[in-house]
Amino acid sequence: MYLTRDQERMLEGEEGEVVERMFRLLVRLGELYGADRMIPVSSCQVSGVSYKSVGDPGLEFLEDLAAKGARVRVRTTLNPAGLDREGWREMGFPEDFAEKQFRILEAFSRLGAELTATCTPYLAGVVPSRGEHLAWSESSAVSFSNSVLGARTNREGGPSALAAALCGVTPRYGLHLEENRQPTLIVEVEGELRGPSDFSALGYWVGREAGGEVPYFRGIRGAGTEELKALGAAMAASGAVALFHVEGITPEAGEVETGGLERVRVGRREVEGSYESLTTGEEPDLVVLGCPHASPGELSRAASLLRGRRVKRPLWICTSRRVKEEASLSGLRAQVEGAGGRIVADTCAVVSPLERMGFETVGVDSAKAAHYLPGLCGVRVVFSTPERLLEGILG
Ligand code: F3S
Protein backbone atom coordinates (compact mmCIF):
# COMPACT_ATOMS: atom_id res chain seq x y z
CA MET A 1 0.00 0.00 0.00
CA TYR A 2 1.27 3.46 -0.85
CA LEU A 3 1.97 5.60 2.22
CA THR A 4 2.86 9.28 2.32
CA ARG A 5 5.93 10.43 4.23
CA ASP A 6 3.77 11.58 7.13
CA GLN A 7 2.06 8.19 7.24
CA GLU A 8 5.42 6.41 7.21
CA ARG A 9 6.42 8.52 10.19
CA MET A 10 3.28 7.35 12.01
CA LEU A 11 4.12 3.74 11.20
CA GLU A 12 7.66 4.16 12.48
CA GLY A 13 6.44 5.46 15.81
CA GLU A 14 7.57 9.05 15.34
CA GLU A 15 4.18 10.29 16.48
CA GLY A 16 4.09 8.17 19.60
CA GLU A 17 3.25 4.65 20.58
CA VAL A 18 -0.55 4.99 20.35
CA VAL A 19 -0.54 6.44 16.84
CA GLU A 20 1.93 3.75 15.73
CA ARG A 21 -0.30 0.97 17.13
CA MET A 22 -3.45 2.45 15.63
CA PHE A 23 -1.86 3.13 12.26
CA ARG A 24 -0.57 -0.46 12.12
CA LEU A 25 -4.14 -1.65 12.62
CA LEU A 26 -5.32 0.49 9.67
CA VAL A 27 -2.49 -0.77 7.47
CA ARG A 28 -3.33 -4.40 8.32
CA LEU A 29 -6.98 -3.76 7.51
CA GLY A 30 -6.07 -2.07 4.24
CA GLU A 31 -3.78 -4.93 3.21
CA LEU A 32 -6.47 -7.46 4.05
CA TYR A 33 -9.00 -5.71 1.80
CA GLY A 34 -6.58 -4.68 -0.97
CA ALA A 35 -6.56 -0.92 -0.32
CA ASP A 36 -4.11 1.00 -2.52
CA ARG A 37 -3.67 3.88 -0.05
CA MET A 38 -5.11 5.78 2.88
CA ILE A 39 -7.67 8.56 2.50
CA PRO A 40 -8.41 11.39 4.94
CA VAL A 41 -11.75 11.17 6.73
CA SER A 42 -13.84 14.17 7.73
CA SER A 43 -15.48 12.51 10.73
CA CYS A 44 -15.48 9.31 12.74
CA GLN A 45 -18.28 7.69 14.70
CA VAL A 46 -17.15 5.16 17.26
CA SER A 47 -19.17 2.23 18.61
CA GLY A 48 -18.32 0.17 21.69
CA VAL A 49 -19.24 2.92 24.13
CA SER A 50 -21.58 1.09 26.50
CA TYR A 51 -19.90 -0.59 29.45
CA LYS A 52 -22.25 -3.47 28.73
CA SER A 53 -20.63 -3.95 25.29
CA VAL A 54 -16.96 -3.40 26.13
CA GLY A 55 -16.69 -4.39 29.80
CA ASP A 56 -13.53 -3.93 31.87
CA PRO A 57 -11.11 -4.73 29.00
CA GLY A 58 -12.62 -1.90 26.91
CA LEU A 59 -12.59 0.50 29.83
CA GLU A 60 -8.93 -0.25 30.61
CA PHE A 61 -7.96 0.05 26.92
CA LEU A 62 -9.59 3.50 26.62
CA GLU A 63 -8.15 4.75 29.92
CA ASP A 64 -4.71 3.59 28.79
CA LEU A 65 -5.00 5.50 25.48
CA ALA A 66 -6.17 8.61 27.32
CA ALA A 67 -3.36 8.34 29.90
CA LYS A 68 -0.83 8.22 27.05
CA GLY A 69 -2.12 11.55 25.78
CA ALA A 70 -3.73 10.27 22.55
CA ARG A 71 -6.05 12.77 20.81
CA VAL A 72 -8.42 12.42 17.88
CA ARG A 73 -7.46 14.36 14.72
CA VAL A 74 -10.94 14.72 13.20
CA ARG A 75 -14.44 15.30 14.50
CA THR A 76 -15.36 12.17 16.42
CA THR A 77 -18.74 11.26 17.85
CA LEU A 78 -19.88 8.30 19.91
CA ASN A 79 -22.53 5.62 19.71
CA PRO A 80 -25.04 5.31 22.58
CA ALA A 81 -23.67 4.63 26.04
CA GLY A 82 -25.28 2.32 28.57
CA LEU A 83 -27.28 4.96 30.45
CA ASP A 84 -28.92 8.36 30.37
CA ARG A 85 -26.25 10.61 31.87
CA GLU A 86 -28.83 12.72 33.68
CA GLY A 87 -31.77 10.46 34.44
CA TRP A 88 -29.96 7.16 35.20
CA ARG A 89 -30.44 7.11 38.97
CA GLU A 90 -34.13 7.95 38.84
CA MET A 91 -34.62 5.32 36.11
CA GLY A 92 -33.06 2.57 38.23
CA PHE A 93 -29.73 2.00 36.44
CA PRO A 94 -27.33 0.08 38.73
CA GLU A 95 -24.73 2.22 40.56
CA ASP A 96 -21.78 -0.10 39.81
CA PHE A 97 -22.64 -0.04 36.10
CA ALA A 98 -22.94 3.77 36.13
CA GLU A 99 -19.55 4.19 37.78
CA LYS A 100 -17.80 2.22 35.01
CA GLN A 101 -19.87 3.86 32.27
CA PHE A 102 -18.90 7.34 33.42
CA ARG A 103 -15.22 6.33 33.40
CA ILE A 104 -15.58 5.21 29.77
CA LEU A 105 -17.17 8.51 28.80
CA GLU A 106 -14.46 10.42 30.67
CA ALA A 107 -11.76 8.48 28.77
CA PHE A 108 -13.43 9.27 25.43
CA SER A 109 -13.69 12.91 26.42
CA ARG A 110 -9.95 13.02 27.23
CA LEU A 111 -9.29 11.54 23.78
CA GLY A 112 -11.18 14.50 22.32
CA ALA A 113 -14.38 12.73 21.23
CA GLU A 114 -17.71 14.54 21.48
CA LEU A 115 -19.99 12.78 23.96
CA THR A 116 -22.91 12.74 21.53
CA ALA A 117 -23.78 9.15 22.46
CA THR A 118 -26.17 8.64 19.59
CA CYS A 119 -26.66 6.30 16.63
CA THR A 120 -28.15 9.20 14.63
CA PRO A 121 -25.34 11.78 14.56
CA TYR A 122 -26.89 13.05 11.32
CA LEU A 123 -29.88 14.26 13.37
CA ALA A 124 -27.60 15.81 15.97
CA GLY A 125 -25.52 18.22 13.93
CA VAL A 126 -23.08 15.89 12.11
CA VAL A 127 -24.42 15.83 8.56
CA PRO A 128 -21.77 14.72 6.06
CA SER A 129 -22.09 15.92 2.49
CA ARG A 130 -22.30 13.75 -0.57
CA GLY A 131 -18.93 12.19 -1.46
CA GLU A 132 -17.32 12.89 1.94
CA HIS A 133 -15.21 10.02 3.28
CA LEU A 134 -15.97 8.89 6.83
CA ALA A 135 -15.09 6.11 9.25
CA TRP A 136 -18.34 5.37 11.06
CA SER A 137 -19.09 2.20 12.92
CA GLU A 138 -22.75 2.14 13.99
CA SER A 139 -24.35 -0.03 11.31
CA SER A 140 -27.57 2.01 11.01
CA ALA A 141 -25.63 5.28 10.79
CA VAL A 142 -23.29 3.74 8.19
CA SER A 143 -26.31 2.73 6.13
CA PHE A 144 -27.95 6.16 6.43
CA SER A 145 -24.82 8.15 5.62
CA ASN A 146 -23.96 5.99 2.58
CA SER A 147 -27.45 5.62 1.21
CA VAL A 148 -29.39 8.74 2.12
CA LEU A 149 -26.61 11.32 2.40
CA GLY A 150 -24.35 9.85 -0.30
CA ALA A 151 -21.28 10.01 1.95
CA ARG A 152 -18.79 7.11 1.90
CA THR A 153 -17.94 4.81 4.74
CA ASN A 154 -17.32 1.15 5.31
CA ARG A 155 -18.99 -0.49 8.27
CA GLU A 156 -16.13 -0.01 10.70
CA GLY A 157 -15.64 -1.87 13.94
CA GLY A 158 -15.25 0.23 17.10
CA PRO A 159 -11.43 -0.20 17.13
CA SER A 160 -10.94 0.66 13.43
CA ALA A 161 -13.17 3.76 13.72
CA LEU A 162 -11.18 4.85 16.77
CA ALA A 163 -7.91 4.17 14.93
CA ALA A 164 -9.15 6.32 12.02
CA ALA A 165 -10.06 9.07 14.49
CA LEU A 166 -6.60 9.02 16.07
CA CYS A 167 -4.79 8.92 12.71
CA GLY A 168 -7.21 11.00 10.60
CA VAL A 169 -7.29 8.48 7.73
CA THR A 170 -8.85 5.18 6.72
CA PRO A 171 -7.81 2.58 4.12
CA ARG A 172 -9.35 3.18 0.72
CA TYR A 173 -11.41 0.10 -0.17
CA GLY A 174 -15.02 -1.13 -0.15
CA LEU A 175 -17.68 1.58 -0.20
CA HIS A 176 -15.11 4.36 -0.56
CA LEU A 177 -14.74 3.19 -4.18
CA GLU A 178 -17.27 4.14 -6.84
CA GLU A 179 -17.40 0.64 -8.37
CA ASN A 180 -18.55 -0.95 -5.11
CA ARG A 181 -21.54 1.39 -4.80
CA GLN A 182 -23.43 -0.18 -7.70
CA PRO A 183 -26.59 -2.13 -6.84
CA THR A 184 -26.45 -5.92 -6.96
CA LEU A 185 -30.11 -6.81 -6.34
CA ILE A 186 -33.44 -5.22 -7.32
CA VAL A 187 -36.16 -5.24 -4.66
CA GLU A 188 -39.63 -4.58 -6.07
CA VAL A 189 -41.92 -3.32 -3.30
CA GLU A 190 -45.60 -3.98 -3.82
CA GLY A 191 -48.42 -2.53 -1.75
CA GLU A 192 -48.48 0.19 0.82
CA LEU A 193 -46.00 0.76 3.64
CA ARG A 194 -47.52 2.66 6.56
CA GLY A 195 -44.90 4.47 8.56
CA PRO A 196 -41.35 3.75 9.75
CA SER A 197 -42.13 0.48 11.55
CA ASP A 198 -43.45 -1.04 8.31
CA PHE A 199 -40.19 0.02 6.63
CA SER A 200 -38.33 -1.59 9.51
CA ALA A 201 -40.29 -4.83 9.10
CA LEU A 202 -39.67 -4.80 5.35
CA GLY A 203 -35.96 -4.06 5.82
CA TYR A 204 -35.65 -6.97 8.22
CA TRP A 205 -36.96 -9.37 5.60
CA VAL A 206 -34.80 -7.89 2.83
CA GLY A 207 -31.65 -7.92 5.01
CA ARG A 208 -32.08 -11.64 5.64
CA GLU A 209 -32.43 -12.31 1.91
CA ALA A 210 -29.81 -9.82 0.76
CA GLY A 211 -26.96 -10.52 3.19
CA GLY A 212 -24.20 -8.21 2.00
CA GLU A 213 -25.80 -7.14 -1.31
CA VAL A 214 -26.47 -3.54 -2.35
CA PRO A 215 -30.27 -3.47 -2.84
CA TYR A 216 -31.99 -1.13 -5.27
CA PHE A 217 -35.61 -0.53 -4.24
CA ARG A 218 -38.38 0.11 -6.72
CA GLY A 219 -41.97 0.92 -5.82
CA ILE A 220 -41.31 2.92 -2.65
CA ARG A 221 -43.10 6.24 -2.74
CA GLY A 222 -42.67 9.10 -0.32
CA ALA A 223 -40.10 7.77 2.14
CA GLY A 224 -38.56 10.43 4.40
CA THR A 225 -35.75 10.46 6.96
CA GLU A 226 -37.59 8.30 9.49
CA GLU A 227 -38.63 5.63 7.00
CA LEU A 228 -35.16 5.42 5.42
CA LYS A 229 -33.35 5.22 8.76
CA ALA A 230 -35.71 2.44 9.84
CA LEU A 231 -35.26 0.54 6.57
CA GLY A 232 -31.46 0.77 6.68
CA ALA A 233 -31.15 -0.11 10.37
CA ALA A 234 -33.22 -3.27 9.92
CA MET A 235 -31.28 -4.43 6.84
CA ALA A 236 -28.01 -3.90 8.70
CA ALA A 237 -29.32 -5.94 11.65
CA SER A 238 -30.64 -8.99 9.81
CA GLY A 239 -28.04 -8.78 7.02
CA ALA A 240 -24.87 -6.84 6.36
CA VAL A 241 -26.37 -4.18 4.10
CA ALA A 242 -24.32 -0.97 4.39
CA LEU A 243 -25.65 0.78 1.27
CA PHE A 244 -28.99 0.76 -0.53
CA HIS A 245 -30.63 2.84 -3.21
CA VAL A 246 -34.28 3.85 -3.52
CA GLU A 247 -35.47 4.80 -6.98
CA GLY A 248 -36.41 8.47 -7.20
CA ILE A 249 -35.37 9.15 -3.60
CA THR A 250 -31.76 8.45 -2.61
CA PRO A 251 -29.01 10.57 -4.21
CA GLU A 252 -27.10 7.94 -6.18
CA ALA A 253 -30.15 5.97 -7.39
CA GLY A 254 -30.39 7.89 -10.66
CA GLU A 255 -26.76 7.29 -11.58
CA VAL A 256 -26.31 3.55 -11.05
CA GLU A 257 -26.75 0.60 -13.43
CA THR A 258 -29.66 -1.74 -12.77
CA GLY A 259 -29.75 -3.81 -15.96
CA GLY A 260 -29.56 -7.59 -15.67
CA LEU A 261 -29.80 -7.79 -11.88
CA GLU A 262 -31.66 -10.47 -9.96
CA ARG A 263 -35.06 -9.33 -8.62
CA VAL A 264 -37.05 -10.13 -5.51
CA ARG A 265 -40.62 -9.05 -4.79
CA VAL A 266 -41.76 -8.00 -1.34
CA GLY A 267 -45.05 -6.75 -0.01
CA ARG A 268 -47.53 -6.87 2.82
CA ARG A 269 -46.98 -10.58 3.46
CA GLU A 270 -43.28 -10.13 4.19
CA VAL A 271 -43.95 -7.04 6.35
CA GLU A 272 -46.50 -8.92 8.47
CA GLY A 273 -44.17 -11.93 8.55
CA SER A 274 -41.45 -9.84 10.20
CA TYR A 275 -43.84 -8.43 12.82
CA GLU A 276 -44.92 -11.98 13.65
CA SER A 277 -41.56 -13.72 13.58
CA LEU A 278 -39.88 -11.13 15.81
CA THR A 279 -42.66 -11.00 18.41
CA THR A 280 -41.96 -13.39 21.27
CA GLY A 281 -44.07 -11.91 24.09
CA GLU A 282 -47.55 -10.57 24.77
CA GLU A 283 -48.02 -7.76 27.27
CA PRO A 284 -45.09 -5.29 27.38
CA ASP A 285 -44.10 -4.06 30.83
CA LEU A 286 -41.97 -1.39 29.09
CA VAL A 287 -42.42 0.30 25.72
CA VAL A 288 -39.31 1.68 24.00
CA LEU A 289 -39.54 3.84 20.88
CA GLY A 290 -36.61 5.40 19.08
CA CYS A 291 -34.42 2.75 17.44
CA PRO A 292 -32.52 4.25 15.69
CA HIS A 293 -32.71 7.30 17.96
CA ALA A 294 -35.91 9.26 17.42
CA SER A 295 -36.03 12.32 15.18
CA PRO A 296 -37.90 15.48 16.23
CA GLY A 297 -40.72 14.34 13.90
CA GLU A 298 -41.01 10.97 15.63
CA LEU A 299 -41.07 12.67 19.05
CA SER A 300 -43.77 14.98 17.85
CA ARG A 301 -45.90 12.08 16.56
CA ALA A 302 -45.49 10.19 19.82
CA ALA A 303 -46.43 13.31 21.79
CA SER A 304 -49.62 13.71 19.78
CA LEU A 305 -50.58 10.07 20.39
CA LEU A 306 -50.10 10.70 24.12
CA ARG A 307 -52.11 13.92 24.22
CA GLY A 308 -54.63 14.07 27.07
CA ARG A 309 -53.83 10.54 28.30
CA ARG A 310 -51.44 8.82 30.72
CA VAL A 311 -49.32 5.72 30.34
CA LYS A 312 -49.90 2.80 32.71
CA ARG A 313 -46.49 1.27 32.06
CA PRO A 314 -43.05 2.89 31.59
CA LEU A 315 -42.46 4.48 28.20
CA TRP A 316 -38.97 5.41 26.97
CA ILE A 317 -38.46 7.38 23.79
CA CYS A 318 -34.75 7.14 23.08
CA THR A 319 -32.99 9.93 21.26
CA SER A 320 -29.82 12.01 21.20
CA ARG A 321 -29.19 14.61 23.88
CA ARG A 322 -29.32 17.29 21.20
CA VAL A 323 -32.82 16.27 20.05
CA LYS A 324 -33.92 15.95 23.69
CA GLU A 325 -32.74 19.52 24.36
CA GLU A 326 -34.66 20.73 21.30
CA ALA A 327 -37.71 18.87 22.63
CA SER A 328 -37.35 20.71 25.95
CA LEU A 329 -37.41 24.04 24.14
CA SER A 330 -40.28 23.16 21.82
CA GLY A 331 -42.52 21.85 24.62
CA LEU A 332 -42.54 18.25 23.28
CA ARG A 333 -40.68 17.00 26.32
CA ALA A 334 -43.29 18.51 28.64
CA GLN A 335 -46.04 16.80 26.60
CA VAL A 336 -44.36 13.39 26.81
CA GLU A 337 -43.56 13.74 30.51
CA GLY A 338 -47.05 15.10 31.21
CA ALA A 339 -48.40 11.77 29.94
CA GLY A 340 -45.98 9.85 32.19
CA GLY A 341 -43.46 8.98 29.46
CA ARG A 342 -39.77 9.77 29.39
CA ILE A 343 -37.46 11.06 26.70
CA VAL A 344 -34.25 9.10 27.27
CA ALA A 345 -30.94 10.45 25.93
CA ASP A 346 -27.45 8.97 25.50
CA THR A 347 -28.54 5.31 25.47
CA CYS A 348 -30.96 2.77 24.07
CA ALA A 349 -32.62 -0.35 25.42
CA VAL A 350 -30.26 -2.73 23.59
CA VAL A 351 -27.04 -1.34 25.07
CA SER A 352 -28.50 -0.59 28.50
CA PRO A 353 -28.40 -3.14 31.35
CA LEU A 354 -32.12 -3.82 30.95
CA GLU A 355 -31.67 -7.38 32.19
CA ARG A 356 -30.76 -5.96 35.62
CA MET A 357 -33.70 -3.57 35.80
CA GLY A 358 -36.59 -5.99 36.25
CA PHE A 359 -38.28 -5.80 32.83
CA GLU A 360 -39.50 -9.00 31.19
CA THR A 361 -41.36 -8.00 28.02
CA VAL A 362 -40.47 -4.93 25.96
CA GLY A 363 -42.64 -3.40 23.24
CA VAL A 364 -40.63 -1.92 20.35
CA ASP A 365 -41.43 -0.34 16.99
CA SER A 366 -38.10 -1.39 15.47
CA ALA A 367 -37.09 -4.71 13.94
CA LYS A 368 -33.49 -4.03 14.93
CA ALA A 369 -34.40 -3.66 18.61
CA ALA A 370 -36.67 -6.71 18.38
CA HIS A 371 -33.81 -8.69 16.83
CA TYR A 372 -31.23 -7.86 19.52
CA LEU A 373 -33.20 -7.46 22.75
CA PRO A 374 -33.90 -11.15 23.50
CA GLY A 375 -30.24 -12.16 23.14
CA LEU A 376 -28.60 -9.10 24.68
CA CYS A 377 -31.09 -8.25 27.43
CA GLY A 378 -32.84 -11.57 28.09
CA VAL A 379 -36.34 -10.13 27.52
CA ARG A 380 -39.30 -11.09 25.37
CA VAL A 381 -40.40 -8.56 22.74
CA VAL A 382 -43.52 -7.32 21.05
CA PHE A 383 -42.70 -5.73 17.68
CA SER A 384 -45.48 -3.45 16.45
CA THR A 385 -46.31 0.10 15.39
CA PRO A 386 -45.99 3.01 17.86
CA GLU A 387 -49.77 3.51 17.61
CA ARG A 388 -50.56 -0.06 18.69
CA LEU A 389 -47.86 -0.16 21.34
CA LEU A 390 -48.99 3.08 22.95
CA GLU A 391 -52.64 2.10 22.77
CA GLY A 392 -51.74 -0.96 24.82
CA ILE A 393 -50.25 1.05 27.68
CA LEU A 394 -52.45 4.16 27.69
CA GLY A 395 -55.13 4.60 30.32
FE1 F3S B 1 -29.48 2.85 17.89
FE2 F3S B 1 -29.63 1.21 19.88
FE3 F3S B 1 -31.18 0.90 17.82
S1 F3S B 1 -27.78 1.98 19.02
S2 F3S B 1 -30.01 1.66 16.12
S3 F3S B 1 -31.21 2.64 19.24
S4 F3S B 1 -30.17 -0.73 18.93
Side-chain angles (χ1 to χ4, degrees):
M1 192 183 342
Y2 168 78
L3 296 180
T4 64
R5 277 174 83 106
D6 283 349
Q7 290 164 359
E8 273 170 3
R9 287 182 61 242
M10 289 194 215
L11 196 60
E12 282 154 16
E14 288 180 36
E15 301 214 16
E17 177 207 327
V18 172
V19 170
E20 180 190 339
R21 237 193 315 156
M22 293 292 144
F23 197 73
R24 276 190 194 285
L25 189 155
L26 296 176
V27 169
R28 268 206 308 278
L29 199 62
E31 284 172 351
L32 192 66
Y33 288 101
D36 59 346
R37 60 187 163 93
M38 297 285 173
I39 39 168
V41 287
S42 56
S43 68
C44 295
Q45 194 263 356
V46 181
S47 62
V49 178
S50 171
Y51 176 64
K52 176 169 165 168
S53 315
V54 298
D56 288 326
L59 167 61
E60 283 155 23
F61 171 72
L62 291 165
E63 286 188 332
D64 179 53
L65 293 187
K68 290 184 168 129
R71 291 288 292 179
V72 299
R73 293 175 189 227
V74 293
R75 187 168 192 190
T76 300
T77 64
L78 301 182
N79 225 25
L83 46 67
D84 181 316
R85 280 182 283 158
E86 286 171 2
W88 65 273
R89 197 170 259 130
E90 208 181 304
M91 293 172 72
F93 282 81
E95 294 270 347
D96 58 328
F97 181 91
E99 192 261 322
K100 302 273 176 94
Q101 182 62 72
F102 279 110
R103 278 173 56 193
I104 289 175
L105 290 172
E106 170 61 21
F108 271 121
S109 173
R110 287 170 63 201
L111 292 171
E114 296 174 32
L115 305 187
T116 47
T118 183
C119 49
T120 57
Y122 49 87
L123 298 175
V126 188
V127 192
S129 305
R130 187 165 175 193
E132 251 180 62
H133 294 279
L134 322 171
W136 285 20
S137 53
E138 156 56 33
S139 64
S140 67
V142 165
S143 170
F144 193 91
S145 59
N146 273 321
S147 315
V148 184
L149 302 177
R152 299 182 168 208
T153 176
N154 287 317
R155 183 170 165 170
E156 302 291 345
S160 64
L162 184 58
L166 294 168
C167 300
V169 292
T170 195
R172 183 175 173 272
Y173 71 93
L175 295 176
H176 293 287
L177 302 174
E178 192 72 40
E179 62 264 31
N180 296 328
R181 300 180 67 85
Q182 291 293 324
T184 55
L185 175 73
I186 307 260
V187 182
E188 313 254 13
V189 180
E190 295 170 342
E192 199 194 346
L193 296 171
R194 304 174 207 118
S197 42
D198 274 9
F199 278 79
S200 186
L202 177 90
Y204 194 75
W205 191 91
V206 174
R208 267 196 326 211
E209 293 298 304
E213 305 276 357
V214 178
Y216 181 96
F217 287 89
R218 284 207 173 115
I220 289 182
R221 289 175 297 277
T225 296
E226 289 82 6
E227 287 79 12
L228 297 171
K229 86 174 160 71
L231 178 68
M235 287 192 289
S238 60
V241 175
L243 167 67
F244 62 94
H245 304 286
V246 182
E247 194 166 72
I249 295 180
T250 56
E252 292 168 50
E255 299 164 13
V256 292
E257 286 295 325
T258 55
L261 296 178
E262 191 195 330
R263 287 159 194 261
V264 291
R265 288 211 169 128
V266 290
R268 205 64 226 164
R269 223 177 78 184
E270 286 72 25
V271 169
E272 294 302 335
S274 291
Y275 281 124
E276 276 162 34
S277 67
L278 285 165
T279 293
T280 54
E282 283 176 8
E283 294 266 306
D285 47 22
L286 166 70
V287 167
V288 180
L289 308 180
C291 168
H293 275 174
S295 68
E298 285 169 314
L299 278 181
S300 165
R301 273 192 290 287
S304 52
L305 292 168
L306 295 170
R307 188 165 299 134
R309 304 178 71 182
R310 270 199 78 77
V311 293
K312 298 178 289 185
R313 302 250 186 279
L315 164 67
W316 297 1
I317 309 177
C318 296
T319 191
S320 60
R321 184 148 294 282
R322 161 102 167 233
V323 169
K324 182 173 179 176
E325 279 162 9
E326 285 167 10
S328 299
L329 295 174
S330 67
L332 282 176
R333 180 176 173 185
Q335 282 179 43
V336 171
E337 290 179 354
R342 179 180 274 279
I343 299 181
V344 176
D346 315 319
T347 188
C348 80
V350 171
V351 298
S352 73
L354 213 58
E355 64 283 5
R356 295 178 62 188
M357 296 168 73
F359 298 111
E360 288 180 358
T361 304
V362 182
V364 292
D365 62 343
S366 151
K368 175 173 178 177
H371 174 81
Y372 285 118
L373 277 170
L376 293 177
C377 297
V379 293
R380 287 185 288 276
V381 290
V382 175
F383 171 36
S384 188
T385 63
E387 289 78 6
R388 280 190 237 136
L389 290 166
L390 291 180
E391 201 48 50
I393 59 162
L394 280 167

